[in-house]
Amino acid sequence: MFDQIFFTQVQFPTPVTPVEVERQMSRNAQNLQEKENGTQEELPANMRNADYFIFGKMDTFSRPPVTDFALENLFYMEAFSIFTCPKGFFTNRKDYQSFLIIYTYEGNGGLEYMGKSYSLGPGDGFFIDCRVPHLYRTVGDVWKHGVFHLNGPLVPALFSRYMENGSVSFYQPFTGNYQKKLEELLSIYGSVQPCRDWLASDCISSILTDLLRNASEEKETDSPVPENLRYLIAYMEKHFTQALTLDFLSRFSGISKYYLSREFKKYTGYSPNDYLISLRVEHAKFLLRSTTLPANKIALTAGFHDINNFTNLFRKKTAMTPGGYRKSC
Amino acid sequence: MFDQIFFTQVQFPTPVTPVEVERQMSRNAQNLQEKENGTQEELPANMRNADYFIFGKMDTFSRPPVTDFALENLFYMEAFSIFTCPKGFFTNRKDYQSFLIIYTYEGNGGLEYMGKSYSLGPGDGFFIDCRVPHLYRTVGDVWKHGVFHLNGPLVPALFSRYMENGSVSFYQPFTGNYQKKLEELLSIYGSVQPCRDWLASDCISSILTDLLRNASEEKETDSPVPENLRYLIAYMEKHFTQALTLDFLSRFSGISKYYLSREFKKYTGYSPNDYLISLRVEHAKFLLRSTTLPANKIALTAGFHDINNFTNLFRKKTAMTPGGYRKSC
């Protein structure tokens, strides 16, 4: 792993004997005290609201500068290091404007995050928002883990979808997409090439989307969309131009009308009828902007059997008339 | 290809005999006339500034509705259709707020774009901004091509990087990344799953980044970064903490000082010294936000041998003092 990737090694003094550990612990306590007294005001943001006990070995990757455009628009890596840390190592932090993926290579670690505890063995990782209080530490003799700080304007929204699963941890084998894409990312940053920031962003997009996909599949497994409902939705997405009454949908899916309305809303956020209307309006928008067909013909083609009904529903969904939409495209 | 993907077929009346072609041509001329007379004001945007002569077969994919969040933040597909169009088919358009990838499956097509002509056979495609005038058409008997309209807030910036190559066309075999990712995209849109918009956006990011990578590699081949300069830049990115004078860099690379300064600027946009400073400031920023090291120690670690010099250069690059940056993180 990490062949051809250049790291700079930093060795933190490791307290070996019980006396040294004791001394380090009391130094840490003193730091805490100074922090409480406000005598550590000059600390960097990720230290100001944090306690650390970092020792062991750190292999750091030097990322070249990224453009301002990338900072404002794309996904980008802030830092990547591999920590090999004996028992006693921990980070306890909050209010740090960064997102973090930690992935375990050897040994064991632990995470406390939003009232949950996670145990991490080889192949286990987590993805967290560092603004939220978090504590991670070595469990057992040693914990070798990759620390990947990343950011970008879309990360908060993606993270909140990731969190819907209720868990922030994930498992992937070393041969999985995470390690593959991470190494690809480091070699993109490590080589001189134009469009480096775009390639890096796409790599990070792939890593995060993959985490999101796995998390939502896990959620699916816990509470999957029922097979008949899934089939019904797919049917509606293909046949929305036909008249599909609730009676029909109920008979088609074998779900009672009352239960169907409730379940449909639960899994899609729409009522069955509202979803049909959305599909039809979407298709009408496509026809309005890409053909010369008159509005009444489009209404029919999209599954609206009454032009006034079409205009009203179109306006309700888009806050525009069909003609207004066509002109505004 | 396109197994498991559901398309709706539309057949445009095909003018077969010379008389029918003639009639269609004059209808088209009449449309043009009406457009000039302003009697076609109600046309959709992509028709208003366009001439069309569309006939043949169109297989259209129905994309389900995408969220407002996706429209405002992500990459998204607007429409995808496969056109199978005999000789005579053309689209001549401008001022259409959309980006377009066309890819040839069978036969031949042609494109006129920004003063250049492109010939397209099987496997050839192009990526264009539809706001700019463009004309594409069947060349020969028939042209079977995929028409993929896409958009998103980042597309204009990505497209302008793509254009730096000077050419908008690309070649990929049917077994290449484009077709693979396109089918993945259609099956994401075609299946009922949470996070559909995120998965779709990542897929499009991958398609566009791939086009960008190939375009810049082509540009590279035309005018590659000289081997010794590439090696020098990679060396600087790893050893920037050391004192690297222009004399040293010149001797290291075997390029005269004058020529080195000029070539370095040409390929990186920086002078050698400015690039070194950027690398050092970037590393100092990393240490400021992720360690408790005092600023003078960080200056030394990052390769600045004078604290005043460090503060000045840091301020010049970031418009902040090192301490101010640390607090602001």
Side-chain angles (χ1 to χ4, degrees):
Chain A
M1 275 187 291
F2 299 114
D3 299 339
Q4 315 282 337
I5 312 282
F6 185 88
F7 290 97
T8 314
Q9 200 175 104
V10 180
Q11 193 83 35
F12 291 91
T14 308
V16 180
T17 66
V19 172
E20 284 170 325
V21 171
E22 187 69 32
R23 195 178 299 147
Q24 180 65 51
M25 284 296 195
S26 72
R27 197 178 308 148
N28 200 51
Q30 188 190 332
N31 281 345
L32 272 178
Q33 194 54 51
E34 284 176 15
K35 207 170 294 169
E36 271 169 31
N37 298 347
T39 44
Q40 282 199 338
E41 276 214 336
E42 287 299 316
L43 281 173
N46 78 338
M47 298 279 167
R48 234 174 294 144
N49 298 297
D51 309 329
Y52 281 84
F53 189 12
I54 296 180
F55 58 99
K57 191 168 72 108
M58 179 174 83
D59 291 291
T60 296
F61 176 80
S62 277
R63 192 211 60 189
V66 302
T67 58
D68 288 343
F69 179 85
L71 295 176
E72 282 156 31
N73 296 282
L74 305 178
F75 296 113
Y76 58 92
M77 190 182 96
E78 293 179 316
F80 179 75
S81 303
I82 301 167
F83 285 81
T84 309
C85 300
K87 190 175 192 139
F89 159 80
F90 75 89
T91 288
N92 188 5
R93 180 171 53 187
K94 65 177 181 180
D95 294 335
Y96 183 40
Q97 301 288 331
S98 177
F99 291 82
L100 173 63
I101 297 176
I102 280 191
Y103 181 74
T104 303
Y105 293 101
E106 290 171 26
N108 291 88
L111 168 74
E112 310 284 325
Y113 189 76
M114 295 189 77
K116 280 198 176 185
S117 295
Y118 300 86
S119 285
L120 309 156
D124 288 325
F126 59 79
F127 173 32
I128 60 170
D129 177 350
C130 296
R131 296 172 298 187
V132 174
H134 54 284
L135 163 66
Y136 56 85
R137 63 196 168 86
T138 300
V139 173
D141 290 337
V142 73
W143 184 30
K144 181 175 174 184
H145 58 289
V147 175
F148 173 19
H149 279 283
L150 60 104
N151 226 321
L154 283 176
V155 184
L158 188 146
F159 182 77
S160 73
R161 295 301 302 268
Y162 177 77
M163 269 298 289
E164 283 174 10
N165 182 23
S167 162
V168 295
S169 71
F170 64 88
Y171 171 79
Q172 281 208 12
F174 297 146
T175 51
N177 193 54
Y178 174 72
Q179 182 65 21
K180 190 176 139 245
K181 284 288 172 182
L182 174 63
E183 294 193 27
E184 193 181 320
L185 177 65
L186 299 180
S187 50
I188 286 167
Y189 277 128
S191 73
V192 179
Q193 58 184 311
C195 308
R196 187 149 63 172
D197 288 340
W198 285 98
L199 306 189
S201 179
D202 180 56
C203 236
I204 298 172
S205 166
S206 167
I207 289 172
L208 298 181
T209 306
D210 211 54
L211 292 180
L212 189 60
R213 181 190 290 115
N214 293 344
S216 61
E217 276 166 12
E218 252 176 58
K219 195 182 156 201
E220 275 287 285
T221 318
D222 293 352
S223 148
V225 180
E227 191 57 32
N228 48 5
L229 193 57
R230 183 190 296 272
Y231 193 73
L232 177 67
I233 295 168
Y235 183 86
M236 289 166 72
E237 289 181 352
K238 291 185 181 34
H239 302 282
F240 60 85
T241 61
Q242 298 165 19
L244 303 175
T245 61
L246 190 57
D247 274 330
F248 173 84
L249 298 175
S250 164
R251 262 183 295 123
F252 181 91
S253 60
I255 310 174
S256 80
K257 283 196 276 181
Y258 167 76
Y259 196 67
L260 174 59
S261 297
R262 210 185 56 180
E263 290 292 285
F264 203 95
K265 180 98 188 174
K266 177 174 158 196
Y267 290 103
T268 66
Y270 295 88
S271 77
N273 192 45
D274 201 30
Y275 195 62
L276 268 181
I277 292 167
S278 295
L279 290 166
R280 287 171 186 159
V281 166
E282 198 59 38
H283 192 59
K285 281 164 73 180
F286 168 67
L287 293 172
L288 283 165
R289 67 176 181 263
S290 61
T291 74
T292 50
L293 291 170
N296 60 348
K297 190 113 188 238
I298 286 177
L300 278 173
T301 310
F304 297 96
H305 299 285
D306 172 333
I307 180 76
N308 291 327
N309 186 244
F310 169 56
T311 307
N312 288 338
L313 291 170
F314 193 94
R315 188 149 41 191
K316 213 168 135 192
K317 286 281 173 201
T318 66
M320 281 188 259
T321 63
Y325 173 78
R326 188 167 248 184
K327 280 196 194 168
S328 77
C329 280
Chain B
M1 273 187 291
F2 299 114
D3 299 339
Q4 316 280 336
I5 312 282
F6 184 88
F7 290 97
T8 314
Q9 199 174 105
V10 180
Q11 192 84 36
F12 292 91
T14 306
V16 180
T17 65
V19 172
E20 284 171 324
V21 171
E22 186 68 32
R23 194 178 301 145
Q24 179 66 51
M25 283 298 194
S26 72
R27 196 178 308 146
N28 198 51
Q30 188 190 331
N31 280 345
L32 272 178
Q33 193 53 52
E34 284 178 15
K35 206 171 293 168
E36 271 170 29
N37 298 345
T39 43
Q40 282 199 338
E41 274 214 338
E42 286 299 315
L43 282 173
N46 77 339
M47 297 280 166
R48 233 174 294 144
N49 297 297
D51 308 328
Y52 281 85
F53 189 14
I54 296 181
F55 58 100
K57 192 169 70 112
M58 178 174 82
D59 291 290
T60 296
F61 176 80
S62 275
R63 193 212 57 189
V66 303
T67 58
D68 289 342
F69 178 83
L71 295 177
E72 283 157 29
N73 296 283
L74 305 178
F75 295 112
Y76 57 93
M77 191 182 96
E78 292 178 317
F80 179 76
S81 304
I82 301 167
F83 285 81
T84 308
C85 299
K87 188 172 192 140
F89 160 80
F90 75 88
T91 288
N92 188 4
R93 180 171 54 187
K94 65 178 181 178
D95 294 334
Y96 184 39
Q97 301 289 328
S98 177
F99 291 82
L100 172 62
I101 298 175
I102 281 192
Y103 181 74
T104 304
Y105 292 103
E106 289 170 26
N108 291 86
L111 168 73
E112 309 284 326
Y113 189 76
M114 295 187 78
K116 281 198 178 184
S117 295
Y118 300 87
S119 285
L120 309 156
D124 288 324
F126 60 78
F127 172 32
I128 60 170
D129 178 349
C130 296
R131 297 172 297 187
V132 173
H134 53 285
L135 162 66
Y136 54 86
R137 62 195 169 88
T138 299
V139 173
D141 289 339
V142 73
W143 184 30
K144 181 173 174 186
H145 58 286
V147 175
F148 173 20
H149 279 283
L150 60 104
N151 226 322
L154 282 176
V155 185
L158 188 145
F159 181 76
S160 72
R161 295 301 302 267
Y162 176 76
M163 270 297 288
E164 284 176 9
N165 183 21
S167 162
V168 296
S169 71
F170 63 88
Y171 170 80
Q172 280 208 11
F174 298 147
T175 51
N177 193 52
Y178 174 72
Q179 182 64 20
K180 190 176 141 242
K181 284 288 170 181
L182 173 63
E183 294 192 26
E184 193 181 319
L185 177 65
L186 298 180
S187 52
I188 287 167
Y189 278 127
S191 73
V192 179
Q193 59 184 307
C195 308
R196 188 149 60 171
D197 289 340
W198 285 99
L199 305 189
S201 178
D202 180 55
C203 237
I204 297 173
S205 165
S206 167
I207 290 172
L208 298 182
T209 305
D210 212 52
L211 292 180
L212 189 59
R213 182 190 290 116
N214 293 343
S216 61
E217 277 167 11
E218 252 175 58
K219 195 180 156 202
E220 274 287 286
T221 317
D222 293 351
S223 148
V225 181
E227 192 56 32
N228 48 4
L229 193 57
R230 182 191 297 272
Y231 193 75
L232 177 67
I233 295 168
Y235 183 86
M236 287 166 73
E237 289 180 352
K238 291 185 181 34
H239 301 282
F240 60 85
T241 61
Q242 298 165 19
L244 302 175
T245 60
L246 189 58
D247 274 330
F248 173 84
L249 298 175
S250 164
R251 261 182 296 125
F252 181 90
S253 60
I255 310 175
S256 79
K257 282 196 277 183
Y258 168 76
Y259 197 65
L260 175 59
S261 296
R262 210 185 57 180
E263 291 293 285
F264 202 96
K265 181 97 187 178
K266 176 174 160 196
Y267 290 104
T268 67
Y270 295 88
S271 76
N273 193 46
D274 200 31
Y275 194 63
L276 269 181
I277 292 168
S278 295
L279 290 165
R280 286 172 187 159
V281 166
E282 198 58 38
H283 191 59
K285 282 163 74 180
F286 168 66
L287 293 171
L288 284 165
R289 68 176 181 264
S290 62
T291 74
T292 51
L293 292 170
N296 59 349
K297 190 111 186 240
I298 286 177
L300 277 173
T301 311
F304 297 95
H305 299 285
D306 173 333
I307 180 78
N308 290 327
N309 186 245
F310 169 56
T311 308
N312 288 338
L313 291 170
F314 193 94
R315 187 149 39 189
K316 213 170 136 195
K317 286 279 173 203
T318 66
M320 279 189 261
T321 63
Y325 174 78
R326 188 166 247 182
K327 279 194 192 170
S328 77
C329 281

